[in-house]
mmCIF file of all heavy atoms in Angstrom:
data_model
loop_
_atom_site.group_PDB
_atom_site.id
_atom_site.type_symbol
_atom_site.label_atom_id
_atom_site.label_comp_id
_atom_site.label_asym_id
_atom_site.label_seq_id
_atom_site.Cartn_x
_atom_site.Cartn_y
_atom_site.Cartn_z
ATOM 1 N N PRO R 1 5.273 -19.353 -59.429
ATOM 2 C CA PRO R 1 4.985 -19.030 -58.018
ATOM 3 C C PRO R 1 3.984 -17.899 -57.819
ATOM 4 O O PRO R 1 3.445 -17.744 -56.724
ATOM 5 C CB PRO R 1 6.366 -18.656 -57.462
ATOM 6 C CG PRO R 1 7.180 -18.269 -58.651
ATOM 7 C CD PRO R 1 6.686 -19.118 -59.773
ATOM 8 N N ASP R 2 3.719 -17.113 -58.862
ATOM 9 C CA ASP R 2 2.768 -16.013 -58.723
ATOM 10 C C ASP R 2 1.311 -16.473 -58.742
ATOM 11 O O ASP R 2 0.416 -15.689 -58.422
ATOM 12 C CB ASP R 2 2.966 -14.991 -59.848
ATOM 13 C CG ASP R 2 4.131 -14.054 -59.585
ATOM 14 O OD1 ASP R 2 4.687 -14.103 -58.468
ATOM 15 O OD2 ASP R 2 4.490 -13.276 -60.486
ATOM 16 N N VAL R 3 1.059 -17.717 -59.125
ATOM 17 C CA VAL R 3 -0.319 -18.175 -59.259
ATOM 18 C C VAL R 3 -0.983 -18.281 -57.882
ATOM 19 O O VAL R 3 -0.396 -18.800 -56.929
ATOM 20 C CB VAL R 3 -0.389 -19.524 -59.995
ATOM 21 C CG1 VAL R 3 -1.822 -20.058 -60.013
ATOM 22 C CG2 VAL R 3 0.119 -19.368 -61.429
ATOM 23 N N ILE R 4 -2.213 -17.769 -57.810
ATOM 24 C CA ILE R 4 -2.996 -17.750 -56.569
ATOM 25 C C ILE R 4 -4.255 -18.594 -56.772
ATOM 26 O O ILE R 4 -4.896 -18.524 -57.826
ATOM 27 C CB ILE R 4 -3.363 -16.299 -56.192
ATOM 28 C CG1 ILE R 4 -2.106 -15.543 -55.752
ATOM 29 C CG2 ILE R 4 -4.429 -16.254 -55.103
ATOM 30 C CD1 ILE R 4 -2.307 -14.055 -55.611
ATOM 31 N N PHE R 5 -4.593 -19.384 -55.751
ATOM 32 C CA PHE R 5 -5.750 -20.272 -55.811
ATOM 33 C C PHE R 5 -6.746 -19.888 -54.718
ATOM 34 O O PHE R 5 -6.392 -19.855 -53.539
ATOM 35 C CB PHE R 5 -5.322 -21.724 -55.591
ATOM 36 C CG PHE R 5 -4.338 -22.259 -56.604
ATOM 37 C CD1 PHE R 5 -2.980 -22.018 -56.463
ATOM 38 C CD2 PHE R 5 -4.776 -22.999 -57.687
ATOM 39 C CE1 PHE R 5 -2.072 -22.514 -57.383
ATOM 40 C CE2 PHE R 5 -3.877 -23.502 -58.609
ATOM 41 C CZ PHE R 5 -2.520 -23.259 -58.464
ATOM 42 N N LEU R 6 -7.991 -19.625 -55.110
ATOM 43 C CA LEU R 6 -9.072 -19.364 -54.157
ATOM 44 C C LEU R 6 -9.992 -20.579 -54.114
ATOM 45 O O LEU R 6 -10.548 -20.990 -55.133
ATOM 46 C CB LEU R 6 -9.861 -18.120 -54.572
ATOM 47 C CG LEU R 6 -11.183 -17.866 -53.828
ATOM 48 C CD1 LEU R 6 -10.952 -17.670 -52.328
ATOM 49 C CD2 LEU R 6 -11.910 -16.657 -54.419
ATOM 50 N N ALA R 7 -10.163 -21.154 -52.926
ATOM 51 C CA ALA R 7 -11.014 -22.335 -52.757
ATOM 52 C C ALA R 7 -12.461 -21.910 -52.527
ATOM 53 O O ALA R 7 -12.770 -21.293 -51.509
ATOM 54 C CB ALA R 7 -10.520 -23.175 -51.584
ATOM 55 N N GLU R 8 -13.336 -22.255 -53.486
ATOM 56 C CA GLU R 8 -14.765 -21.973 -53.336
ATOM 57 C C GLU R 8 -15.405 -23.197 -52.694
ATOM 58 O O GLU R 8 -15.831 -24.117 -53.381
ATOM 59 C CB GLU R 8 -15.390 -21.673 -54.711
ATOM 60 C CG GLU R 8 -16.855 -21.246 -54.651
ATOM 61 C CD GLU R 8 -17.840 -22.417 -54.766
ATOM 62 O OE1 GLU R 8 -17.442 -23.498 -55.248
ATOM 63 O OE2 GLU R 8 -19.000 -22.243 -54.353
ATOM 64 N N ALA R 9 -15.403 -23.204 -51.374
ATOM 65 C CA ALA R 9 -15.936 -24.367 -50.654
ATOM 66 C C ALA R 9 -16.698 -23.882 -49.432
ATOM 67 O O ALA R 9 -16.108 -23.580 -48.406
ATOM 68 C CB ALA R 9 -14.798 -25.304 -50.242
ATOM 69 N N PHE R 10 -18.017 -23.770 -49.566
ATOM 70 C CA PHE R 10 -18.860 -23.460 -48.414
ATOM 71 C C PHE R 10 -19.330 -24.791 -47.837
ATOM 72 O O PHE R 10 -20.394 -25.305 -48.194
ATOM 73 C CB PHE R 10 -20.055 -22.601 -48.840
ATOM 74 C CG PHE R 10 -19.680 -21.258 -49.389
ATOM 75 C CD1 PHE R 10 -19.747 -20.995 -50.747
ATOM 76 C CD2 PHE R 10 -19.247 -20.240 -48.552
ATOM 77 C CE1 PHE R 10 -19.418 -19.750 -51.263
ATOM 78 C CE2 PHE R 10 -18.907 -18.990 -49.051
ATOM 79 C CZ PHE R 10 -18.992 -18.745 -50.410
ATOM 80 N N THR R 11 -18.528 -25.340 -46.987
ATOM 81 C CA THR R 11 -18.804 -26.696 -46.513
ATOM 82 C C THR R 11 -18.361 -26.813 -45.057
ATOM 83 O O THR R 11 -18.180 -25.801 -44.375
ATOM 84 C CB THR R 11 -18.098 -27.728 -47.425
ATOM 85 O OG1 THR R 11 -18.434 -29.045 -46.988
ATOM 86 C CG2 THR R 11 -16.599 -27.555 -47.422
ATOM 87 N N ARG R 12 -18.140 -28.004 -44.584
ATOM 88 C CA ARG R 12 -17.809 -28.228 -43.186
ATOM 89 C C ARG R 12 -16.465 -27.582 -42.834
ATOM 90 O O ARG R 12 -15.537 -27.561 -43.655
ATOM 91 C CB ARG R 12 -17.777 -29.730 -42.884
ATOM 92 C CG ARG R 12 -19.074 -30.431 -43.250
ATOM 93 C CD ARG R 12 -19.112 -31.875 -42.772
ATOM 94 N NE ARG R 12 -17.976 -32.672 -43.189
ATOM 95 C CZ ARG R 12 -17.842 -33.239 -44.378
ATOM 96 N NH1 ARG R 12 -18.760 -33.056 -45.317
ATOM 97 N NH2 ARG R 12 -16.784 -33.989 -44.653
ATOM 98 N N PRO R 13 -16.330 -27.091 -41.603
ATOM 99 C CA PRO R 13 -15.117 -26.359 -41.233
ATOM 100 C C PRO R 13 -13.824 -27.122 -41.477
ATOM 101 O O PRO R 13 -12.869 -26.579 -42.042
ATOM 102 C CB PRO R 13 -15.314 -26.073 -39.741
ATOM 103 C CG PRO R 13 -16.788 -26.075 -39.544
ATOM 104 C CD PRO R 13 -17.326 -27.098 -40.505
ATOM 105 N N LYS R 14 -13.777 -28.375 -41.069
ATOM 106 C CA LYS R 14 -12.523 -29.126 -41.198
ATOM 107 C C LYS R 14 -12.189 -29.415 -42.662
ATOM 108 O O LYS R 14 -11.017 -29.552 -43.021
ATOM 109 C CB LYS R 14 -12.587 -30.413 -40.377
ATOM 110 C CG LYS R 14 -12.517 -30.167 -38.872
ATOM 111 C CD LYS R 14 -12.536 -31.464 -38.086
ATOM 112 C CE LYS R 14 -12.325 -31.203 -36.584
ATOM 113 N NZ LYS R 14 -13.335 -30.317 -36.012
ATOM 114 N N VAL R 15 -13.199 -29.509 -43.496
ATOM 115 C CA VAL R 15 -12.961 -29.693 -44.934
ATOM 116 C C VAL R 15 -12.333 -28.429 -45.524
ATOM 117 O O VAL R 15 -11.358 -28.490 -46.282
ATOM 118 C CB VAL R 15 -14.272 -30.051 -45.660
ATOM 119 C CG1 VAL R 15 -14.060 -30.073 -47.167
ATOM 120 C CG2 VAL R 15 -14.795 -31.400 -45.175
ATOM 121 N N MET R 16 -12.894 -27.284 -45.172
ATOM 122 C CA MET R 16 -12.341 -26.017 -45.644
ATOM 123 C C MET R 16 -10.908 -25.833 -45.151
ATOM 124 O O MET R 16 -10.027 -25.367 -45.890
ATOM 125 C CB MET R 16 -13.237 -24.861 -45.180
ATOM 126 C CG MET R 16 -14.624 -24.916 -45.791
ATOM 127 S SD MET R 16 -15.800 -23.815 -44.972
ATOM 128 C CE MET R 16 -15.167 -22.218 -45.440
ATOM 129 N N GLN R 17 -10.673 -26.215 -43.912
ATOM 130 C CA GLN R 17 -9.333 -26.081 -43.351
ATOM 131 C C GLN R 17 -8.348 -27.016 -44.046
ATOM 132 O O GLN R 17 -7.204 -26.640 -44.313
ATOM 133 C CB GLN R 17 -9.381 -26.359 -41.849
ATOM 134 C CG GLN R 17 -10.136 -25.300 -41.060
ATOM 135 C CD GLN R 17 -10.577 -25.785 -39.689
ATOM 136 O OE1 GLN R 17 -9.993 -26.708 -39.123
ATOM 137 N NE2 GLN R 17 -11.621 -25.172 -39.148
ATOM 138 N N ARG R 18 -8.791 -28.218 -44.362
ATOM 139 C CA ARG R 18 -7.887 -29.164 -45.021
ATOM 140 C C ARG R 18 -7.487 -28.655 -46.411
ATOM 141 O O ARG R 18 -6.331 -28.780 -46.811
ATOM 142 C CB ARG R 18 -8.566 -30.526 -45.138
ATOM 143 C CG ARG R 18 -7.695 -31.593 -45.809
ATOM 144 C CD ARG R 18 -6.554 -32.029 -44.906
ATOM 145 N NE ARG R 18 -5.612 -32.896 -45.597
ATOM 146 C CZ ARG R 18 -4.838 -33.798 -45.000
ATOM 147 N NH1 ARG R 18 -4.907 -33.950 -43.687
ATOM 148 N NH2 ARG R 18 -3.989 -34.527 -45.689
ATOM 149 N N LEU R 19 -8.421 -28.085 -47.139
ATOM 150 C CA LEU R 19 -8.095 -27.529 -48.452
ATOM 151 C C LEU R 19 -7.052 -26.428 -48.327
ATOM 152 O O LEU R 19 -6.121 -26.341 -49.136
ATOM 153 C CB LEU R 19 -9.362 -26.996 -49.122
ATOM 154 C CG LEU R 19 -10.358 -28.058 -49.599
ATOM 155 C CD1 LEU R 19 -11.700 -27.428 -49.931
ATOM 156 C CD2 LEU R 19 -9.810 -28.813 -50.808
ATOM 157 N N ALA R 20 -7.192 -25.596 -47.299
ATOM 158 C CA ALA R 20 -6.194 -24.548 -47.074
ATOM 159 C C ALA R 20 -4.833 -25.156 -46.772
ATOM 160 O O ALA R 20 -3.795 -24.686 -47.254
ATOM 161 C CB ALA R 20 -6.639 -23.630 -45.941
ATOM 162 N N LYS R 21 -4.825 -26.222 -45.983
ATOM 163 C CA LYS R 21 -3.563 -26.895 -45.662
ATOM 164 C C LYS R 21 -2.914 -27.488 -46.910
ATOM 165 O O LYS R 21 -1.685 -27.523 -47.024
ATOM 166 C CB LYS R 21 -3.807 -28.003 -44.629
ATOM 167 C CG LYS R 21 -4.204 -27.507 -43.250
ATOM 168 C CD LYS R 21 -4.574 -28.679 -42.347
ATOM 169 C CE LYS R 21 -5.055 -28.212 -40.976
ATOM 170 N NZ LYS R 21 -5.465 -29.338 -40.112
ATOM 171 N N GLU R 22 -3.718 -27.964 -47.833
ATOM 172 C CA GLU R 22 -3.181 -28.601 -49.034
ATOM 173 C C GLU R 22 -2.531 -27.593 -49.985
ATOM 174 O O GLU R 22 -1.867 -27.993 -50.937
ATOM 175 C CB GLU R 22 -4.279 -29.368 -49.774
ATOM 176 C CG GLU R 22 -4.883 -30.526 -48.991
ATOM 177 C CD GLU R 22 -3.935 -31.712 -48.813
ATOM 178 O OE1 GLU R 22 -2.804 -31.647 -49.314
ATOM 179 O OE2 GLU R 22 -4.335 -32.698 -48.162
ATOM 180 N N GLY R 23 -2.740 -26.291 -49.723
ATOM 181 C CA GLY R 23 -2.020 -25.309 -50.526
ATOM 182 C C GLY R 23 -2.822 -24.168 -51.084
ATOM 183 O O GLY R 23 -2.255 -23.273 -51.740
ATOM 184 N N TYR R 24 -4.139 -24.148 -50.874
ATOM 185 C CA TYR R 24 -4.929 -23.030 -51.395
ATOM 186 C C TYR R 24 -4.475 -21.707 -50.788
ATOM 187 O O TYR R 24 -4.257 -21.607 -49.583
ATOM 188 C CB TYR R 24 -6.422 -23.263 -51.149
ATOM 189 C CG TYR R 24 -7.061 -24.093 -52.235
ATOM 190 C CD1 TYR R 24 -7.125 -25.475 -52.127
ATOM 191 C CD2 TYR R 24 -7.537 -23.501 -53.390
ATOM 192 C CE1 TYR R 24 -7.673 -26.248 -53.139
ATOM 193 C CE2 TYR R 24 -8.087 -24.253 -54.404
ATOM 194 C CZ TYR R 24 -8.157 -25.631 -54.286
ATOM 195 O OH TYR R 24 -8.692 -26.382 -55.299
ATOM 196 N N SER R 25 -4.354 -20.692 -51.625
ATOM 197 C CA SER R 25 -3.854 -19.385 -51.191
ATOM 198 C C SER R 25 -4.898 -18.620 -50.392
ATOM 199 O O SER R 25 -4.560 -17.863 -49.477
ATOM 200 C CB SER R 25 -3.443 -18.542 -52.402
ATOM 201 O OG SER R 25 -2.765 -19.302 -53.371
ATOM 202 N N GLN R 26 -6.168 -18.761 -50.771
ATOM 203 C CA GLN R 26 -7.271 -18.069 -50.118
ATOM 204 C C GLN R 26 -8.458 -19.015 -50.002
ATOM 205 O O GLN R 26 -8.540 -20.008 -50.723
ATOM 206 C CB GLN R 26 -7.688 -16.831 -50.928
ATOM 207 C CG GLN R 26 -6.606 -15.783 -51.106
ATOM 208 C CD GLN R 26 -7.075 -14.619 -51.954
ATOM 209 O OE1 GLN R 26 -8.250 -14.514 -52.321
ATOM 210 N NE2 GLN R 26 -6.151 -13.712 -52.273
ATOM 211 N N SER R 27 -9.392 -18.661 -49.103
ATOM 212 C CA SER R 27 -10.537 -19.536 -48.858
ATOM 213 C C SER R 27 -11.810 -18.718 -48.687
ATOM 214 O O SER R 27 -11.812 -17.706 -47.979
ATOM 215 C CB SER R 27 -10.316 -20.366 -47.589
ATOM 216 O OG SER R 27 -9.106 -21.093 -47.652
#
């Protein structure tokens, strides 16, 4: 549970938001 995920996605807003919804800790 300590593992943190940062999503490196400079892309369309809804795509970035969906990745966050799927579980990414940071964006």
